[in-house]
Amino acid sequence: MLRIAVQSKGRLYEDSMALLAEAGIKLSSGKRTLLVPSRNFPVEILFLRDDDIPDSVASGVADVGIVGLNELLEKAKKTREVKRLGFSKCRLSLAIPKDAVYKGLEWFSGKKIATSYPGILSAFLNEKGIKADIHVITGSVEIAPGIGLADAIFDIVSSGSTLISNQLREVEVVVDSEAVLVANENLTPEKNEILEELVFRIGAVQAADSKKYILMNVPKSQLEDVLAVLPGIKSPTVMPLANDEWCSVHTVLEEKYFWEIINKLKAAGAEGILVLDIEKMIL
């Protein structure tokens, strides 16, 4: 049985559980408790606070965990990064009052910086040769300059709206963060085998993300023109239709490309274009 530590609430919890569900993992309990086994896969989910996950994985309380890279770097616990998951993206940035004149990192010399991530900030400032006073705050970091607690902040930024509402502006991005799957460094062969299957399933889910299955009818006389337009993976599938003068073309496209080429496909002779979602894709 592989034990997976997952954040107990918040956006990372929602995205993590959605990913596990898409990977075919069904939980045994309708009501969430601290530890919930799966009904159909040899894993159990341990719900923890996000900042407890790195230590729980490093110490072996959990075998693997889904955690933000920001928390993983801050806790600096010895774990093995298995896979970046592509969701819960944010960044750790330095921000200053919006009216302050900023010409570079030297601005922070001698300044007081409020943060909930003193480890990451300290390492960054030391690397850059900047001496500043780090003031640790556990919540509402963004209000610190406005009430005179600090000259600047180092905090998570997603959309940037919180900074704007507090009269701050982002000036330096230090870490680009996202959810990562991490593992204990000393898993047994049996647990590693389960983890490999889990990673395989997650990979299939990720491969299908933002991709569409495209079907269209094409006159055989214009088939080469249509195929020349398609930027799909490998070679499109061409199938005969009841009308010998037509064929059906099937391919997979990145969704972002579809609207760019739809008029080109129509101009090339494609008709009856059908776009379908893809749940999983094995490459």
Side-chain angles (χ1 to χ4, degrees):
M1 180 75 74
L2 190 75
R3 180 175 293 176
I4 307 172
V6 171
Q7 184 174 312
S8 59
K9 59 182 179 180
R11 180 65 181 272
L12 186 56
Y13 159 77
E14 295 170 0
D15 289 341
S16 299
M17 298 309 292
L19 176 64
L20 293 173
E22 288 186 61
I25 296 173
K26 299 178 180 179
L27 299 182
S28 296
S29 175
K31 183 178 179 181
R32 198 172 87 227
T33 56
L34 180 64
L35 188 63
V36 180
S38 168
R39 300 197 305 269
N40 64 337
F41 194 68
V43 301
E44 56 186 4
I45 310 301
L46 175 65
F47 294 106
L48 297 173
R49 286 179 15 151
D50 58 345
D51 54 355
D52 289 334
I53 293 176
D55 184 63
S56 71
V57 174
S59 65
V61 172
D63 301 308
V64 300
I66 298 176
V67 65
L69 181 61
N70 55 307
E71 289 293 343
L72 189 65
L73 294 176
E74 178 62 26
K75 298 303 180 184
K77 298 295 182 179
K78 291 189 67 175
T79 59
R80 173 166 60 96
E81 184 178 315
V82 178
K83 191 173 185 62
R84 299 207 172 192
L85 301 176
F87 57 80
S88 295
K89 290 187 175 182
C90 62
R91 54 196 183 273
L92 282 173
S93 296
L94 285 159
I96 65 176
K98 69 173 186 176
D99 296 328
V101 177
Y102 183 76
K103 295 183 179 180
L105 281 170
E106 283 298 325
W107 186 93
F108 294 98
S109 293
K111 297 290 197 301
K112 181 180 287 188
I113 308 172
T115 186
S116 299
Y117 296 91
I120 297 174
L121 178 57
S122 178
F124 175 76
L125 294 177
N126 288 339
E127 178 187 342
K128 300 299 182 181
I130 304 295
K131 293 184 178 180
D133 180 13
I134 298 176
H135 185 65
V136 180
I137 296 179
T138 56
S140 300
V141 173
E142 66 278 355
I143 70 171
I147 60 176
L149 278 178
D151 302 299
I153 69 167
F154 177 63
D155 201 20
I156 289 177
V157 179
S158 295
S159 66
S161 59
T162 301
L163 294 182
I164 293 172
S165 64
N166 285 277
Q167 308 297 305
L168 300 171
R169 63 187 174 100
E170 185 179 12
V171 292
E172 298 285 343
V173 177
V174 176
V175 174
D176 286 308
S177 181
E178 63 181 283
V180 293
L181 181 68
V182 296
N184 181 273
E185 294 184 325
N186 300 302
L187 293 183
T188 64
E190 293 78 13
K191 289 184 176 182
N192 266 317
E193 186 175 347
I194 299 170
L195 177 58
E196 287 174 5
E197 172 62 22
L198 176 63
V199 171
F200 170 76
R201 293 188 181 195
I202 290 174
V205 172
Q206 289 181 321
D209 188 39
S210 299
K211 291 184 174 63
K212 299 294 182 182
Y213 191 76
I214 312 295
L215 304 85
M216 66 198 81
N217 294 334
V218 179
K220 288 183 178 179
S221 61
Q222 293 172 272
L223 178 60
E224 293 302 319
D225 294 335
V226 168
L227 294 182
V229 172
L230 294 174
I233 59 171
K234 297 185 179 178
S235 176
T237 300
V238 180
M239 303 176 65
L241 294 176
N243 185 333
D244 289 339
E245 295 181 356
W246 287 74
C247 60
S248 178
V249 176
H250 300 202
T251 192
V252 174
L253 295 178
E254 291 278 354
E255 185 175 13
K256 62 183 179 182
Y257 294 133
F258 178 76
W259 293 112
E260 295 177 11
I261 68 171
I262 182 63
N263 288 327
K264 294 179 182 179
L265 289 172
K266 292 167 64 179
E271 297 181 8
I273 302 171
L274 185 63
V275 184
L276 303 175
D277 289 331
I278 302 174
E279 288 190 5
K280 314 287 186 301
M281 189 163 70
I282 313 301
L283 299 176

